[in-house]
Amino acid sequence: MKKIIKHLSWFIQAEWKQYTIMFILLVGISIIALAPAKVLGEAIDVIVSSRLTKDRLYFLAGLLLLIPVTRYGMSFVYNYMVTKEAQKLAYQLRQKYLKHLFNMDSKFYEMYEKGDLISRVTSDLDAITQAATSLLEGIIFNVGLILFAILVMGTTISWKLTLISITIMPIGITILNIVRSKKRKYIKIHREIYADMTEKVLESVEGQKTIRAYVQEENDLKRQNEAIHKDIESWRYIVKYENWFTPMFEVIYGIAYILAFSFGTFYIIQQEITLGGLITFVAYIGQLYGPITSISGIFTQINNAHISIDRFEEIMKQSPEVHDESDSLNIIEFNEIQFKNVTFKYPFDKHPVIKNIDINIKKGQTIGIVGPTGAGKSTLIRQLLREFNVSGGSILIDGKSIEAYKIEDIRNLVGYVPQSHILFRRSVDENILIGKPNATSQMLDKAVKLADFEKDLMFLHDGLHTMVGESGVSLSGGQKQRLSIARALIKDPEILILDDSLSAVDAKTEDNIINHLKEFRKGKTNIIVAHRFSAIHDADVILVLESGQITQRGTHHELIRQEGWYKTQFIEQMTMR
Ligand code: ADP
């Protein structure tokens, strides 16, 4: 419980007024919950002793009516407040979590799977929110009710009878706790299995087109079924222990009733208590059942919340290796980028993907990068996005390490068109404007023209306003590429990176785009990774990357005169035409 309070103290402190009101309301509700039995007992004693007058009857009936009405009013206000607080907390935690995810670097995303990250912001966050709201209710209301009931039973009826009847209860609670503590260890395992199941469902939904294309529905369903089965199995363990306790506890609780009745009747005969007293007493014993089982359940809830807090905190504690320092420098343009002996290894790999890379990129140059698939071309250019820190050597921008600059500034320098194109479930223009949300319509038109996307618009029923993405119109591979290029070009970035982004367009379109770049990006830098040599034919420098190393460099004319990969591939591409 301490852990929950510590973890949520920022929220409780900010909301202390609401929490105080809710606390008072809960105490009030638990006191009121005990009143009807007391009034009933009083009424019976009055009737039995023939002291019932008309006025007294009205008074008692009025009281019995007033009690539930007051309770209803208080519960209404409490429920309203608690729901509002729960929503507020869930919203704030979700905001914190998502903001944190945006700050994380690529290494973090290699460490955690999407399904796992989602389940932490759904089921774990729900458990935490529940802890902060319903736990308060559970503890204050139930503990309050138990204490008040014992106090009222002891002071107004009989301490002796109270002690006799409730001594059995700690035994019941102990049994409850033993069984439930066994259950706890399965909860954690279940959470992990649940996260795995979420991951599999996500994968199937994302990959449904491929699954159908390869007629793999049955295999996929089998995989899903296995995951679901595992989830059910793990839940069964939990339920098994849960089912254990209920009958056992009922038996023990029954003993409390027997004790109350038999000793109560004895004390009536002894004239130590009245009949009304015994009826009130037995009613209270009945009223204690709910709170006692709830309190035991609260331990489970607290434990669930602890597990969830740990899982939530684990993510919140991660700090990105790639991060800004307080003295990080601003940069809006550059003159020269140098790769000095750069080596890079992915965080969980043993071997470097690119090795001893030396490159000089001058502002305004166009650099072409070619090489076999898997040579490390994407890895090389992505170093300019600062997703990871390099493993060896350094990247200098105007003589200073890339790490000395603000990450956002570095990313703002770059317009990156990745190999796989991400379309958001928005209209075409909104998808392009992601590159520069405050762009004017002229800028938008220009980007569309430069990316040679204009001709596609007439095939889209709503032109630029056509919805694309999962639920909208599907674009062809080439259209997606052109939209992505427009998204990067609208930024008019200092450095444009095309990562094999012309692979799905025809030769004519490729020509158009390359010519537009030559014409409109004078003085700006372009880095083009390509498979077709026509795309990099006029580059100032072409780098050939093989097995992570630069094996050739020069202009097209220089390279076709050298023996090596470039010449061989060039001849092959020429003969294939
Ligand atoms: P290219 O662009 O030349 O086809 P890549 O840079 O995409 O090559 O990949 C180079 C190598 O790095 C490949 O062996 C690939 O499997 C590996 N690789 C790419 N991305 C990752 C990653 N995120 N984690 C681990 N290895 C990766």
Side-chain angles (χ1 to χ4, degrees):
M1 194 64 200
K2 228 164 84 187
K3 190 174 190 168
I4 298 171
I5 293 174
K6 197 174 144 215
H7 179 78
L8 297 170
S9 59
W10 58 275
F11 183 76
I12 298 170
Q13 267 168 26
E15 301 288 312
W16 71 269
K17 279 187 198 149
Q18 283 81 346
Y19 269 85
T20 311
I21 297 171
M22 289 193 306
F23 176 81
I24 295 168
L25 283 170
L26 280 176
V27 173
I29 294 167
S30 59
I31 294 173
I32 287 178
L34 295 168
K38 189 81 191 124
V39 176
L40 208 67
E42 293 283 327
I44 286 168
D45 280 344
V46 170
I47 296 165
V48 170
S49 59
S50 314
R51 282 184 283 122
L52 186 66
T53 61
K54 216 172 170 190
D55 283 350
R56 201 140 193 175
L57 182 67
Y58 288 148
F59 174 74
L60 289 170
L63 213 55
L64 281 174
L65 181 71
L66 189 68
I67 291 165
V69 171
T70 315
R71 186 173 172 174
Y72 170 79
M74 288 170 100
S75 299
F76 181 84
V77 178
Y78 173 80
N79 286 333
Y80 176 78
M81 287 182 80
V82 84
T83 313
K84 208 168 145 197
E85 289 305 302
Q87 281 169 351
K88 211 187 244 180
L89 176 64
Y91 171 76
Q92 293 188 10
L93 282 175
R94 226 157 252 159
Q95 287 268 71
K96 274 185 165 198
Y97 186 80
L98 294 177
K99 200 167 158 216
H100 185 70
L101 288 192
F102 278 124
N103 280 333
M104 295 316 293
D105 57 10
S106 299
K107 184 176 176 184
F108 170 84
Y109 288 100
E110 303 236 326
M111 257 159 65
Y112 292 96
E113 290 182 340
K114 272 187 270 173
D116 186 17
L117 290 175
I118 290 173
S119 83
R120 287 177 206 242
V121 78
T122 49
S123 50
D124 286 317
L125 201 132
D126 283 346
I128 299 172
T129 311
Q130 212 184 28
T133 47
S134 64
L135 268 191
L136 174 86
E137 176 179 339
I139 293 173
I140 297 170
F141 175 74
N142 293 313
V143 171
L145 200 131
I146 292 170
L147 291 181
F148 285 130
I150 292 174
L151 197 72
V152 175
M153 284 152 86
T155 52
T156 66
I157 302 166
S158 157
W159 273 118
K160 267 194 285 181
L161 189 59
T162 307
L163 289 176
I164 291 168
S165 309
I166 63 168
T167 39
I168 194 82
M169 291 190 186
I171 302 171
I173 294 174
T174 313
I175 292 174
L176 270 185
N177 285 341
I178 291 171
V179 178
R180 285 195 171 169
S181 82
K182 288 209 170 190
K183 182 180 144 184
R184 271 170 221 157
K185 73 174 177 212
Y186 293 115
I187 296 259
K188 200 168 178 199
I189 302 171
H190 177 72
R191 293 276 162 83
E192 277 150 24
I193 291 172
Y194 180 81
D196 182 55
M197 187 182 71
T198 315
E199 179 67 32
K200 291 216 167 77
V201 172
L202 209 73
E203 206 177 78
S204 290
V205 173
E206 280 177 348
Q208 47 96 12
K209 279 189 189 150
T210 317
I211 291 168
R212 270 189 283 175
Y214 286 92
V215 202
Q216 286 299 309
E217 289 95 329
E218 266 190 35
N219 280 342
D220 190 67
L221 269 178
K222 216 166 119 194
R223 253 165 43 92
Q224 298 279 349
N225 277 343
E226 276 165 21
I228 294 169
H229 198 71
K230 257 179 139 178
D231 180 66
I232 295 171
E233 270 298 300
S234 78
W235 189 242
R236 261 190 24 205
Y237 269 118
I238 297 167
V239 175
K240 192 169 101 187
Y241 286 104
E242 184 78 43
N243 285 344
W244 249 83
F245 90 91
T246 321
M248 252 201 227
F249 184 69
E250 304 242 330
V251 171
I252 287 168
Y253 210 83
I255 299 174
Y257 270 116
I258 296 168
L259 290 173
F261 259 119
S262 39
F263 280 87
T265 317
F266 176 71
Y267 290 135
I268 290 178
I269 296 165
Q270 299 280 311
Q271 295 197 334
E272 284 188 35
I273 63 169
T274 61
L275 174 65
L278 180 62
I279 287 173
T280 305
F281 192 90
V282 173
Y284 281 167
I285 295 272
Q287 268 190 299
L288 286 181
Y289 180 88
I292 287 175
T293 46
S294 300
I295 280 194
S296 173
I298 284 166
F299 288 119
T300 314
Q301 267 192 40
I302 291 177
N303 193 62
N304 285 354
H306 279 184
I307 296 169
S308 294
I309 285 175
D310 285 346
R311 280 170 52 82
F312 193 78
E313 280 290 288
E314 184 190 326
I315 300 293
M316 298 305 283
K317 269 196 208 131
Q318 303 281 344
S319 54
E321 270 178 21
V322 178
H323 58 84
D324 282 334
E325 300 294 345
S326 56
D327 56 354
S328 290
L329 304 169
N330 288 101
I331 181 165
I332 45 169
E333 49 181 31
F334 74 98
N335 284 314
E336 190 181 26
I337 298 176
Q338 293 165 291
F339 279 60
K340 288 200 160 170
N341 206 19
V342 170
T343 293
F344 176 76
K345 180 177 88 56
Y346 281 102
F348 302 102
D349 280 358
K350 285 202 184 78
H351 305 290
V353 171
I354 51 169
K355 288 159 273 188
N356 312 112
I357 303 286
D358 284 303
I359 326 174
N360 269 15
I361 304 170
K362 294 234 161 40
K363 182 185 170 82
Q365 279 189 326
T366 292
I367 310 289
I369 304 180
V370 291
T373 306
K377 302 182 293 294
S378 295
T379 308
L380 172 64
I381 51 174
R382 288 173 77 102
Q383 299 307 317
L384 288 176
L385 294 172
R386 284 229 57 205
E387 291 172 318
F388 301 94
N389 289 333
V390 293
S391 325
S394 53
I395 301 173
L396 305 177
I397 302 183
D398 293 342
K400 290 199 181 76
S401 165
I402 194 170
E403 291 171 23
Y405 297 101
K406 286 196 174 132
I407 299 164
E408 202 179 307
D409 281 12
I410 295 288
R411 290 184 187 154
N412 275 334
L413 282 182
V414 179
Y416 174 61
V417 186
Q419 269 180 34
S420 51
H421 307 281
I422 305 290
L423 288 192
F424 294 91
R425 233 172 47 189
R426 303 179 198 174
S427 58
V428 170
D429 55 352
E430 281 172 321
N431 262 290
I432 297 174
L433 284 168
I434 286 169
K436 191 178 175 73
N438 56 358
T440 60
S441 57
Q442 284 89 342
M443 288 169 168
L444 179 70
D445 290 343
K446 190 174 168 193
V448 167
K449 265 194 202 110
L450 293 184
D452 214 28
F453 191 53
E454 215 174 11
K455 61 174 185 286
D456 299 296
L457 295 180
M458 59 185 172
F459 297 111
L460 300 173
H461 59 80
D462 242 346
L464 275 173
H465 303 301
T466 310
M467 284 299 288
V468 289
E470 267 181 83
S471 58
V473 171
S474 289
L475 298 185
S476 71
Q479 285 173 329
K480 276 190 202 161
Q481 284 193 336
R482 291 192 284 279
L483 188 151
S484 280
I485 295 171
R487 187 189 282 163
L489 283 175
I490 201 168
K491 244 177 119 172
D492 195 17
E494 285 298 308
I495 308 167
L496 174 73
I497 299 179
L498 301 184
D499 189 355
D500 204 12
S501 317
L502 298 167
S503 58
V505 302
D506 57 68
K508 171 90 182 59
T509 311
E510 180 189 279
D511 246 21
N512 288 345
I513 297 173
I514 296 290
N515 285 335
H516 289 157
L517 294 185
K518 277 186 212 156
E519 196 179 332
F520 291 99
R521 285 194 48 81
K522 288 219 165 72
K524 302 266 163 108
T525 309
N526 303 314
I527 302 176
I528 304 173
V529 174
H531 272 105
R532 271 203 303 248
F533 286 9
S534 47
I536 44 113
H537 185 276
D538 293 332
D540 297 298
V541 185
I542 298 168
L543 307 171
V544 178
L545 202 68
E546 289 176 90
S547 306
Q549 283 180 306
I550 296 177
T551 50
Q552 289 183 281
R553 71 177 81 205
T555 61
H556 170 73
H557 295 289
E558 287 165 356
L559 291 176
I560 49 169
R561 287 193 193 96
Q562 289 175 14
E563 287 310 314
W565 189 88
Y566 193 89
K567 188 177 166 186
T568 323
Q569 286 297 309
F570 180 69
I571 294 169
E572 207 167 283
Q573 287 194 8
M574 292 300 285
T575 47
M576 276 169 68
R577 273 194 180 180

